[in-house]
Amino acid sequence: MVELKTDTSIDAMYEAGQVVARTLTAVREAADVGVSLLELDELAHDVLRAAGATSPFLGYRPSFAPTPFPAVVCASVNDAIVHGIPDGYRLRDGDLVSIDFGAKLNGWAGDSAISFTVGTPRPADVRLIDTAEHALAAGIAAAVVGNRIGDIAHAIGTVCRTAGYGIPQGFGGHGIGRQMHEDPGVPNEGRPGRGLPLRHGMALAIEPMLIASGKDGYHEAPDGWTLRTNDGSRAAHVEHTVAITEDGPRILTAR
């Protein structure tokens, strides 16, 4: 069931989204060679607590997961696509990092992700991340009243495939509101003009995931959470929470 949010509720979601935006900015600024993923998670936790918000990630356990998620950020490095668990790994020069983060404030959730490089960037990584951002922008541009979910999926997929990148099947965006994951699902590839019509008051987390090699294969790591590319190629993941309004898409997690 898809819940249509009132304008007042969308404003409340914006406040949650801004906690997410501030946290991701702080994490990005702190990420440097020698900094551990656990240190980034603790920083995110500090920002969350200072805002009076809670984490929808910490303790989350969907049906596929063997254990509850133990952190407030997903930290995925190099060949990790999504759902990486922060650990003692210390960032190295040239690493490609994706940070996914959510916050819940006054009963409403926000969810966003960024990808970036640490130290000296590889040109191929810069292109991968830029393409992910372009795919996200295309998906958001298609998130207008009168379009359908398939239009968002098609916009994202077209950017990714045209650039020669792979798309992990079965993972994509989702509805969001009082819970982090709500209906409907938002695929990263699809046919235009298909799927649920977009209406004022819908809120979606739109999140392209790209694999550098152009292949779609991935596997689950032994921790039961992290998804890694099958061929060891690098991946990027970006995301915004977006409200569908009569005035156009409103990015609730804009930084």
Side-chain angles (χ1 to χ4, degrees), residues 16 19-24 26-27 36-50 53-60 68-76 83-87 98-104 110-114 180-181 225 237 239:
V19 174
V20 176
R22 291 197 300 273
T23 305
L24 287 175
V27 169
S36 76
L37 300 181
L38 282 175
E39 289 170 336
L40 296 181
D41 183 68
E42 186 56 38
L43 170 61
H45 213 157
D46 288 345
V47 178
L48 197 65
R49 284 188 290 253
T54 58
S55 171
F57 287 20
L58 184 62
Y60 180 59
F69 196 76
V72 301
V73 301
C74 293
S76 306
H83 303 163
I85 297 176
D87 57 18
S98 297
I99 301 290
D100 192 357
F101 179 77
K104 208 167 182 187
D111 188 11
S112 185
I114 56 174
M180 179 173 60
H181 290 137
W225 276 98
H237 171 216
E239 176 183 19

Side-chain angles (χ1 to χ4, degrees), residues 81-130:
I81 306 168
V82 288
H83 303 163
I85 297 176
D87 57 18
Y89 177 83
R90 294 191 177 277
L91 296 172
R92 301 172 183 173
D93 186 57
D95 277 346
L96 194 167
V97 183
S98 297
I99 301 290
D100 192 357
F101 179 77
K104 208 167 182 187
L105 183 68
N106 297 323
W108 295 98
D111 188 11
S112 185
I114 56 174
S115 286
F116 55 88
T117 57
V118 175
T120 307
R122 299 182 181 185
D125 290 344
V126 172
R127 179 176 178 268
L128 178 66
I129 294 169
D130 285 349

Side-chain angles (χ1 to χ4, degrees), residues 152-246:
I152 298 175
H154 178 71
I156 293 170
T158 297
V159 172
C160 297
R161 295 300 189 189
T162 299
Y165 294 125
I167 300 172
Q169 301 301 305
F171 286 87
H174 49 88
I176 185 170
R178 296 186 185 277
Q179 304 299 323
M180 179 173 60
H181 290 137
E182 297 183 352
D183 292 333
V186 186
N188 285 327
E189 194 168 31
R191 297 177 63 183
R194 300 294 183 93
L196 190 72
L198 303 180
R199 298 171 58 188
H200 179 89
M202 291 175 66
L204 306 173
I206 301 173
E207 49 180 321
M209 305 168 193
L210 284 65
I211 298 175
S213 66
K215 298 178 181 178
D216 298 348
Y218 63 90
H219 62 275
E220 186 180 273
D223 62 24
W225 276 98
T226 309
L227 300 184
R228 295 188 178 276
T229 62
N230 281 348
D231 56 10
S233 61
R234 295 188 168 199
H237 171 216
V238 294
E239 176 183 19
H240 271 309
T241 295
V242 180
I244 312 298
T245 79
E246 294 289 353

